[in-house]
Amino acid sequence: MAAEAGAKKVYAIEANKEVAQSARFLIKKSGFSDIITVLDGVSTELTLPDNEKVDLVVAELVGSIATEEGAYATVLDAHTRFVKRPNSPKSWIPSRIQTYAAPASYTLHNLFQPPAFDWDKLAGQPVRFNCRDEGLQLLSDPVLVEDVSFADIPNNIALTKKDNITEPRQYTFTVDGERIKQNTVAFREEYRKNKVIKDEELEELALSTARSFTGVAFWPRILMDDEKDSTNVINSRTFPEGGHQRSHWQTVLPIMNSTPVGGLKSGDKVVVNADFDVPSKVLVPPKYRLEGNVFVKN
């Protein structure tokens, strides 16, 4: 795309050797061999020819939790070694990546409980959902939990602590009674469609699921430029309400208890402490720790 748009020189960095070889074949076939140079390897371990620096970096490094695929470490390295004007938002596509979160209810967590299924066996690994999956519903309005500007990444407030570990943050979510009503309808249809229980049990199970807390759901939002009120944005779930829609990305749901916390009602509070460990080395995986409590409204 960059070559077709008129770029005089393009460096394409690809860690997978087979993909890199396929790229060279397609580049030659397209007649761009004089413009595009494919470099094999991880960008943090490579140097551009003659230590050249570029005007624009285009990178798809966004995970379903925005930083989980090494975006922070990769862009931090590119800031110092690859980009002419790293502090300009116009040097980066995308310009900013975000993660949103909200407490959620999950059909299967309610349907299959110990001893039929031991959710503790997941050992902290989250369940990953297609963003259109109606088996997951949100209990409250989403909040922003990661906001990473590529132009300002060395000074990013959310990622400035010793060893780039974020300060633990506390988020308070208020259960929305209207969402419980809407979720009951959605869960009833999910259970009915999948024929997992008898019809006479549908209403009770749908309502108990809608009033339950499984964990905190996360999903990304990608801002292609940094212009105020820009519409050049990719939402993996609808914005700002967090509704279902088709997406390349997934919704990530850590199961925070072996059984759902049930009996929630409008006005109850879900308080979550989140500790995101986002390292500055690209080959060191990030870690995300959550602890939470539900507080019932009197």
Side-chain angles (χ1 to χ4, degrees), residues 237-290:
R237 299 181 72 92
T238 61
F239 183 81
E241 66 274 9
H244 300 83
Q245 68 174 26
R246 184 176 180 179
S247 175
H248 164 77
W249 284 273
Q250 297 173 314
T251 298
V252 179
L253 180 68
I255 308 296
M256 294 181 67
N257 197 51
S258 58
T259 58
V261 178
L264 300 184
K265 61 184 183 301
S266 183
D268 289 349
K269 304 288 186 182
V270 178
V271 179
V272 176
N273 294 312
D275 190 0
F276 287 9
D277 179 348
V278 184
S280 58
K281 295 182 179 179
V282 72
L283 297 180
V284 178
K287 297 177 182 178
Y288 306 93
R289 302 177 185 88
L290 300 175

Side-chain angles (χ1 to χ4, degrees), residues 58-202:
V58 181
E60 202 292 83
L61 302 165
V62 189
S64 293
I65 297 175
T67 56
E68 71 173 336
E69 293 185 5
Y72 173 73
T74 302
V75 173
L76 183 65
D77 175 72
H79 236 266
T80 59
R81 301 196 301 120
F82 291 148
V83 188
K84 292 179 182 177
R85 293 174 293 277
N87 299 113
S88 170
K90 297 184 183 300
S91 296
W92 306 93
I93 298 177
S95 174
R96 181 183 296 268
I97 59 176
Q98 299 175 328
T99 302
Y100 278 80
S105 312
Y106 174 31
T107 50
L108 297 187
H109 194 213
N110 283 264
L111 190 62
F112 301 114
Q113 297 186 21
F117 186 83
D118 182 7
W119 291 94
D120 289 336
K121 288 182 179 180
L122 295 180
Q125 291 297 316
V127 180
R128 293 178 180 264
F129 294 80
N130 183 306
C131 286
R132 291 179 291 177
D133 193 332
E134 297 281 347
L136 178 147
Q137 300 289 339
L138 306 181
L139 286 161
S140 79
D141 292 340
V143 301
L144 179 66
V145 296
E146 282 191 319
D147 188 12
V148 183
S149 166
F150 285 4
D152 197 36
I153 206 163
N155 304 309
N156 195 283
I157 295 173
L159 298 171
T160 51
K161 184 185 173 184
K162 183 180 179 181
D163 298 326
N164 301 309
I165 303 171
T166 62
E167 294 285 356
R169 295 189 175 192
Q170 186 173 93
Y171 301 94
T172 299
F173 304 92
T174 302
V175 175
D176 185 336
E178 189 58 36
R179 283 183 182 264
I180 289 178
K181 293 178 183 178
Q182 296 170 359
N183 295 350
T184 301
V185 175
F187 287 140
R188 184 191 305 121
E189 178 59 20
E190 277 294 293
Y191 286 131
R192 185 200 62 77
K193 180 176 63 178
N194 291 294
K195 300 178 180 179
V196 293
I197 60 169
K198 298 177 182 179
D199 288 347
E200 56 268 27
E201 299 173 346
L202 274 175

